[in-house]
Each structure stands twice: as C-alpha cells, then as structure tokens.
Amino acid sequence: MGVIAGCGALLGTTLVAFAPTASADEVCGAPVVTDTATTITCTAEGTGSVTVPDGATSGHVVLLGAGGGPSSDGVPGGKGARVEATLAVTPGATLNVAIGAQGFTFDSYPGSGGTGGGLVAVTAADNSPLLTAGSGGGAGGPGIATPAFPGTPGGDSGSPGSAGAGDSVGGGGGRGGAGTATAGGAGGTAAGAGQTPGSNAGAPGGWPNAQGGAPSGSIYYNAGFGGYGGAGYGSGGAGGGGGVDVNSSGDQTGGAGGSGGGGSSRVSGTVPGSPSSVTDGVNSGDGSIVFTFRNGKADIAVGITPTTHLGILVPYLSYNLTARNIGPDAVTSATLTVTLPPGARATNLAAGCTTSATTVTCSYGAIASGSTAAKSFRVPLGLLSLGPLSVTGTRTASAPLDPDPANDSATATCTVVSIILVTCP
C-alpha cells in the first residue's frame, strides 16, 4: 500500500527547494486498493510524497494545472493544462508531489488583477522533475478611472497573456509571456503616456518550476501595469493591475493591466513507447494529481526434483529447485528457500544460492510468464543417512505480487535404505 505524507501550503519557491514533511493536513488521500490497481488522489494544496506500492509495475498519472485568478471585475484567469503519462516506477520508491492552488484576486483594490495558478508537479526522490502541468496566468485588472477599460483574461497554460486595453491617455499594460521548456516567460511591458520606462512593467517568470511573478499593490495614479511572465515548467504569471492616467488637458482614463502568461508543461521519465499527452487550457479550478499504480501479478509454482547418484565412494542426491511463472505478468525477482533435514548439508550450489546450517537460499532474476528458472545443489549421503529424507522448497519473496500461496512450496521425500539403495518419488 502506498504511504503518503504532506506538508504546508505551497509558496512561490522553486520546486527543487521543497522537502516533503509530515503533517496532519495531508496533500494526498488514502490509497484505494483493488485487485488490479492502487489509486492515490492528491488535491490538497501543498507538497508531499507518495510511495510506490509493492507489486506495482507502472504508474499512470493525470495532472491538472491550476487555473489563474480572476480580476477584481470578474474577468477569468487562464486555464491550466491536463497532462497524462505512464511513469516507469520501482516498488518502494518515493515520488514527490506539489499541488498548487487556483489563483485568486490579488487584493481588494478596484483595479486588482489575479495571481497565477500554482505549481502542479511530480518529481523523483532526488527532486529531478518528471511531470509538470502548466498553470494558467492571472487576469489583468480593470482600469480605475472613468472611462475604465475592463480587465484582461489570463493566458492559458503554454500561452502568453493579453495586453490590457487602453487609449492615448491611459494605455494598457503589456502582456506577460508564456513559460517555455528552457526559460520563464517574459514580463509584460510598461504602458501609458508619460510613464517612466519599467516603472510598471511585469516581472519575468521563474525557471525551472518556479512561481510566476506577483503584481504590485501600488496601482493608483499609473497607467495599466504589465502582466507577469509564466514560469518555465509550471506556474502561471500574475496579471498586472489596472490604472488611471491624466493628460495635460486634465482628461483621465483607466487602462487595464496586461494579463499573466501561462506556465509550460513537462513530460519526462515515462515508460518508453507509452502514450502521453498534454492538453493546454482545460482546467480553470482546485490543481490535482491522480496516480493509478497497476498491480502486477506473477504466480510462482515451486518445484523440487531429486536425482540419485549412488555408490560406495561419494554417494549423494542432487536437487533441481524450480520457479515456474504461471503468469499473468513477468517475475522481476524471486527468492526460494530450501529446508533440509537435521544433519544434512548442501554442496555444489548453483550461482545465486547460499547455504547456512540446514537451509539453502536461492535468488532468481526475471522470469517471463510461462517460463521456468532452475537452481541445483547436492546433499551428500553418509553411512548414517538412513530412513526418510525430506527436502522442502518454499517461495519466500517475489515481485510482483503472487496471488496464489497454494503452490508456494513443494516437498520431495526420498527413502535411504543404504548408500547404494535409495528410492525417490
């Protein structure tokens, strides 16, 4: 069963900086286990981790990037991406998750824009990025003078924002750029007659996997602010604030802020040849990640077959210890342990087998469905080796899960009459 842990709210830090910490407010729900799959759903805002369940052979993952926040006049933010992929997984390995929240209206000022949607991503245990769903950019705020231009819709994941509307008196802010695979999106340019260049420009987005820039609250008596750039591999940029400007004749107007650019998505670490997809601009709400781990099954049937090698010089019994995979999936590894009768010892062990006291332990590698792997060893016969001699082989470990314990052991009993007369079934 997968183990999950969560920590506090996701802030505007880079993904490579977060470390999962246990918390009562878990990011992911409890695993839901069926005969064929284990599903873990992560929807709470924050960072955490998921442990790949025992027996898992692959992990199907669906991420929804968070939507951007609306402007103060209700213009929506951009929509996040939907990313679907199949990851190569190892049972017991840790996958880190980051669940960013939907953006919100930056503050209570009339010309406020929205923040970008937060980071939604899956990384490996060493925090190397695997999957990221780009989030939407925040909407640009409306102008705050009369006449006032309406807010500007945020950029969808993978797309730049839009320039804010304005006129020759109070120009709108420039749009924020989309995050890309190699860089954060560019910040929107300043706007408005007589404005100091750069005084109301948007900040560029971060890279990699960082939050997009956030807007300034100082929006009064300026033309529209530029939108903020989306982060590379992730978050959406914030929308710029709307403004007011007055020309030399005393005319005033409210230019809208430019909207934030969307974040970009990333797909890596997938199973070779497996389908994966990125669909930008489909999710406007709460980011999320759903893991569906396929529970592989491989039924090992244990067999043990003795063969007599008799004579007065060096009599012994040889044993062939077999692991037959009767499916349905391939065995990745298996361990079989043999119990010998008191006083017996094992010699001439095959590669991968060890002995201690009255046991023999053999390790097996991959076994295809329908195939059999065998290991051998010998049990010498002495003058006192008389009567029944029972040897039992048992499956003590294997991956993936073994669904049928009924065939996990086998026993072979030979009857030793003398060192030159032994009967075996």
Side-chain angles (χ1 to χ4, degrees):
M1 182 175 288
V3 180
I4 47 182
C7 71
L10 178 64
L11 301 178
T13 55
T14 60
L15 179 63
V16 293
F18 79 69
T21 305
S23 167
D25 299 324
E26 294 181 338
V27 172
C28 303
V32 177
V33 182
T34 67
D35 287 342
T36 58
T38 297
T39 301
I40 302 175
T41 302
C42 308
T43 56
E45 179 187 358
T47 58
S49 62
V50 168
T51 300
V52 179
D54 292 340
T57 56
S58 63
H60 184 80
V61 190
V62 176
L63 297 84
L64 292 179
S71 62
S72 59
D73 63 342
V75 174
K79 296 180 179 180
R82 183 183 189 276
V83 174
E84 182 173 2
T86 300
L87 285 178
V89 296
T90 301
T94 297
L95 295 173
N96 296 325
V97 297
I99 308 294
Q102 180 183 8
F104 55 90
T105 305
F106 181 66
D107 54 33
S108 59
Y109 292 111
S112 298
T115 64
L119 176 66
V120 177
V122 177
T123 69
D126 61 358
N127 281 327
S128 58
L130 298 175
L131 303 174
T132 303
S135 295
I144 59 176
T146 303
F149 289 91
T152 310
D156 289 341
S157 52
S159 301
S162 299
D167 58 20
S168 59
V169 176
R175 67 183 186 178
T180 72
T182 57
T189 57
Q195 296 302 306
T196 303
S199 63
N200 60 352
W207 186 90
N209 299 318
Q211 286 280 66
S216 167
S218 303
I219 60 176
Y220 285 115
Y221 307 110
N222 289 286
F225 279 73
Y228 286 66
Y233 302 154
S235 307
V244 59
D245 203 4
V246 181
N247 66 10
S248 58
S249 301
D251 299 321
Q252 68 174 18
T253 189
S259 64
S264 65
S265 301
R266 176 191 179 105
V267 176
S268 63
T270 58
V271 174
S274 65
S276 60
S277 63
V278 175
T279 306
D280 288 318
V282 295
N283 183 49
S284 58
D286 179 26
S288 65
I289 302 175
V290 178
F291 295 89
T292 303
F293 296 102
R294 181 173 180 268
N295 298 332
K297 293 183 178 181
D299 186 8
I300 292 179
V302 177
I304 188 163
T305 304
T307 303
T308 59
H309 301 268
L310 306 178
I312 60 174
L313 296 180
V314 189
Y316 64 90
L317 297 176
S318 65
Y319 288 88
N320 199 40
L321 180 65
T322 59
R324 177 170 175 76
N325 178 13
I326 58 178
D329 296 310
V331 168
T332 57
S333 64
T335 301
L336 272 57
T337 300
V338 175
T339 303
L340 304 176
R345 61 187 179 90
T347 64
N348 296 83
L349 278 69
C353 296
T354 60
T355 184
S356 175
T358 57
T359 63
V360 176
T361 302
C362 295
S363 298
Y364 297 75
I367 308 172
S369 179
S371 298
T372 301
K375 304 281 187 178
S376 63
F377 60 91
R378 296 179 183 179
V379 175
L381 297 175
L383 294 175
L384 299 180
S385 300
L386 301 177
L389 190 154
S390 294
V391 175
T392 300
T394 303
R395 181 193 67 84
T396 50
S398 64
L401 297 177
D402 189 307
D404 183 11
N407 56 12
D408 283 359
S409 65
T411 300
T413 301
C414 296
T415 301
V416 181
V417 179
S418 69
I419 59 174
I420 59 173
L421 179 59
V422 178
T423 61
C424 294

